Each structure stands twice: as structure tokens, then as C-alpha cells.
Amino acid sequence: MDKNVKIFPWNDAFNTGLTEIDEQHKRLVALLNELVNHLAHQFKSPTPDQVFEQLTQYIEYHFVAEETIWQHYFADDSANQDHRADHARFISDITKIKAELNNLSNTQVMENVLSYLTNWLAFHIVESDKLMAAIVLAMQCGSSFAEAKQHACSNEQLNDSIKALIKSVLGLHSEKEYIKIRIIRYLANCKEDGGMTTTGLQQLAKAAGVDQAEKIHVKKDLVQAIQQVTQETPCFRYNLSSHCSEEDCIWKDECKKMVAIWGYHLN
Ligand SMILES: [Fe+2]
């Protein structure tokens, strides 16, 4: 399992067809994934609020850019007003989250925040931005506003199937990534607290979905059980004599440490 967490995988179904907006959405997703990594690894510098600030500043910049385009094509149409209101609500929610940044060391709080940000962004793009962009693109090809709106709305059925697809892809993907975040955070804490414990690993294994984790009492077996449920090769401390080539594995440090200890006892 590598050390990089990607809670929001970019998918071409998110493309609106308007290059400027698509590039900004990709940048937003990259910044969101950067924040996730930062929180998972609990990096001290830059601080989480600096990373969060960078993300919120970009969101504000993007909203202004988007609203300028919608204003040009939609003017006083209610879709434009609704879209602006959606943006404003999100900014207000982000301001509340900012005030709670100190609680992000609590894994559950962090997961709730990341899940809210990810889902809001994904569904806003698919449900709203894409529809607005389709109207803009049709108008750029010569349609009147009314024709463009009617045509874009008649494609709603297609949009529904994309929404269902994204829901399942994001759901399945983020479930795996949240487990990964818990593992990374546990291992980062172990570095400061003196290493992995059987109880700590049992709790982690249980959270990862290992069946009857409390009945496993050997650290190596617990880690291998976690590797198995996370669809990884259960290679942890598998062979003391062989050299591991997985440079980016999140278990590497603990694996090497235990190999060193057991290797010492075996000698
Ligand atoms: Fe938008």
C-alpha cells in the first residue's frame, strides 16, 4: 500500500467541456487531495490551516471565475441565482469548518469534513456545473438561450446515470482511502509513542474490517490480516532473509524494525 492518499479520483465524467472551468476543477481536486494527504500524514509544516486556507482561497477564486461566465450567458435566469446561492452556502459551510480545524486530529471529525467537501464538489459539478456548461456550449454554437436550456434539460436522464456511477465510484474509492488514512495516522502516532501495540493493531484491524480481530494476538498476523482486507499482498515480515523492494509501502518502517528485532533474536 503506497503512502499517497487520493480521496477524489479525477474522472472524465466530471468534465464540463469548458476548458477554463475544467482546469480549475482539476486544480481544486488536486488541492483537496493535498489536504487529505496532509491530514493523513499529520505533517506539521505547513500547518493544516495553511493548507486549508490555500484550498478555500482557490475555491473563492474559482467561484468568481465561474459566476462571471454564468452571468454572461444566464443573466437574470433563476438557474444563475440558484447557482450563486449554492456557492454562497458552500463558502459559509467552509467558514464553519475552518473554525473547527483544531478538531481535525479526531479521525471521525476529519472523515466527516473530507466526505462533505468531496461529495459537495463532485455533485455540484455533475448536477449543476455540467448542466450550465451544456447550455453555454449550445449557445456558443448558435442556439438561443431557450433552445439551449431545453436541449440540456432533456439530457437529464443521461446525467442521472452519471450521478449514479460517480456515487458508486466515489463511495467505494473513499471507503478504501479512509481505511488507508487511519493506517497512516496510526503509524505516524506509533513513531511518536514508541511503536505498534497489539491492542492498537487490533483496533485498527477491526476498523479496517478484519473479522474477529480481537482474537488475533500476534502483531505480524494482525498487520497481514489488515493487508489482506485492504487487498494488499500479506507480505508484512513474510520473509526475514529477503530484501523488500516496496520502497513506498506504508508498513515499510515498522516491517524493517520488526525484521531487525527478529533477525537479532534469530542470530
Ligand atoms: Fe459552480
Side-chain angles (χ1 to χ4, degrees):
M1 185 182 281
D2 67 68
K3 295 172 183 167
N4 189 35
V5 188
K6 212 177 217 180
I7 211 151
F8 193 142
W10 183 262
N11 182 306
D12 282 344
F14 290 113
N15 280 330
T16 64
L18 294 174
T19 310
E20 182 189 350
I21 290 182
D22 290 338
E23 290 309 312
Q24 290 182 5
H25 282 161
K26 282 180 193 165
R27 177 75 185 129
L28 267 182
V29 167
L31 286 170
L32 182 59
N33 284 325
E34 216 172 292
L35 174 70
V36 175
N37 269 288
H38 199 84
L39 295 172
H41 292 278
Q42 302 182 77
F43 295 135
K44 303 267 188 289
S45 175
T47 59
D49 48 323
Q50 284 171 321
V51 181
F52 196 79
E53 187 58 29
Q54 195 188 5
L55 173 67
T56 53
Q57 275 180 12
Y58 196 79
I59 287 171
E60 285 172 13
Y61 161 78
H62 164 65
F63 283 175
V64 170
E66 227 183 55
E67 286 170 11
T68 306
I69 297 174
W70 304 152
Q71 181 61 36
H72 181 74
Y73 289 91
F74 288 77
D76 294 332
D77 188 84
S78 63
N80 192 18
Q81 313 306 327
D82 293 347
H83 201 98
R84 275 176 189 268
D86 255 5
H87 284 174
R89 266 194 298 274
F90 188 59
I91 294 288
S92 150
D93 288 349
I94 281 184
T95 311
K96 285 178 204 148
I97 290 172
K98 215 185 273 183
E100 286 177 18
L101 275 183
N102 288 338
N103 289 334
L104 291 183
S105 56
N106 177 312
T107 304
Q108 193 56 57
V109 174
M110 183 199 69
E111 285 181 7
N112 291 344
V113 166
L114 295 180
S115 164
Y116 171 72
L117 294 176
T118 308
N119 280 291
W120 189 92
L121 189 57
F123 285 96
H124 179 75
I125 292 174
V126 175
E127 289 176 344
S128 197
D129 291 341
K130 282 190 74 145
L131 184 69
M132 306 279 275
I135 294 170
V136 169
L137 288 168
M139 288 172 77
Q140 286 175 347
C141 289
S143 297
S144 68
F145 179 71
E147 287 166 347
K149 197 173 178 181
Q150 195 187 13
H151 181 69
C153 292
S154 67
N155 272 341
E156 272 292 89
Q157 211 177 352
L158 178 68
N159 230 11
D160 282 347
S161 58
I162 293 174
K163 269 185 253 175
L165 173 77
I166 286 169
K167 206 169 186 176
S168 93
V169 169
L170 269 188
L172 289 173
H173 181 84
S174 56
E175 206 174 299
K176 276 194 212 163
E177 294 301 281
Y178 285 131
I179 293 171
K180 192 173 182 180
I181 293 172
R182 285 184 183 226
I183 297 171
I184 291 172
R185 281 167 80 107
Y186 174 73
L187 291 172
N189 289 336
C190 284
K191 265 187 190 164
E192 291 181 7
D193 299 345
M196 301 192 301
T197 63
T198 306
T199 314
L201 280 173
Q202 283 171 334
Q203 286 167 353
L204 187 64
K206 201 173 173 188
V210 173
D211 201 25
Q212 299 193 309
E214 69 285 353
K215 292 188 179 166
I216 308 174
H217 299 284
V218 178
K219 290 178 190 172
K220 170 184 74 89
D221 295 343
L222 279 161
V223 175
Q224 287 191 1
I226 295 171
Q227 287 182 309
Q228 237 152 3
V229 292
T230 52
Q231 274 99 49
E232 299 291 320
T233 308
C235 56
F236 188 78
R237 212 227 115 200
Y238 181 70
N239 189 343
L240 294 182
S241 56
S242 73
H243 177 71
C244 175
S245 58
E246 292 291 335
E247 285 307 318
D248 201 30
C249 174
I250 55 177
W251 298 103
K252 182 128 185 146
D253 289 349
E254 286 296 333
C255 191
K256 267 164 60 185
K257 202 193 287 178
M258 295 185 88
V259 167
I261 293 166
W262 275 308
Y264 173 77
H265 287 306
L266 285 173
N267 287 332

